[in-house]
Amino acid sequence: MTTKSEQAATVDDLATVRTGDKGDTLILGVVARDGVDFSDLSRAITEEAVADHFGVPVSRVKRSLLSGLNAMSFELKGMLGSGVTGVSHLDGHGKTLSYHLLTMQVTR
């Protein structure tokens, strides 16, 4: 049960997400929505939480904070298989994976 100070939410409630790729690495940019405390957001969306959400080892996830922009960037190594030109599935660039991150539950 969550207390009044701990409200359940999704990333989508708190931020917007954009995606990119570099070889086999998925890059997710997370930008806090207006009115969202970035320090709370960065405590909730950690390397460990993202690794767990995507089902990958935390060693494959690297987070960079961009506090001046109220944003953070995640690199998920190996998430795109052989890279965007070497995968057989439709979403080689990983665009829909940003929507997957938006569904992640967070406590703030």
Side-chain angles (χ1 to χ4, degrees):
M1 181 172 183
T2 58
T3 66
K4 191 170 188 165
S5 62
E6 290 183 358
Q7 300 171 348
T10 63
V11 171
D12 193 26
D13 295 325
L14 308 173
T16 187
V17 179
R18 295 293 180 260
T19 188
D21 57 84
K22 195 68 165 173
D24 71 344
T25 302
L26 174 66
I27 302 164
L28 295 167
V30 179
V31 182
R33 294 193 186 279
D34 287 341
V36 172
D37 185 314
F38 181 69
S39 60
D40 288 343
L41 187 67
S42 63
R43 278 192 295 275
I45 307 176
T46 62
E47 290 174 344
E48 294 80 6
V50 169
D52 184 57
H53 186 68
F54 280 93
V56 299
V58 72
S59 61
R60 289 180 34 196
V61 179
K62 178 186 173 201
R63 181 179 77 167
S64 300
L65 295 178
L66 308 161
S67 333
L69 300 173
N70 289 334
M72 60 189 94
S73 175
F74 289 90
E75 294 179 17
L76 284 77
K77 300 269 187 210
M79 197 68 193
L80 300 177
S82 302
V84 297
T85 59
V87 295
S88 59
H89 58 79
L90 182 60
D91 188 23
H93 292 271
K95 300 297 183 193
T96 58
L97 294 174
S98 64
Y99 292 100
H100 180 61
L101 181 61
L102 289 173
T103 66
M104 187 175 85
Q105 295 287 315
V106 296
T107 302
R108 57 185 187 128

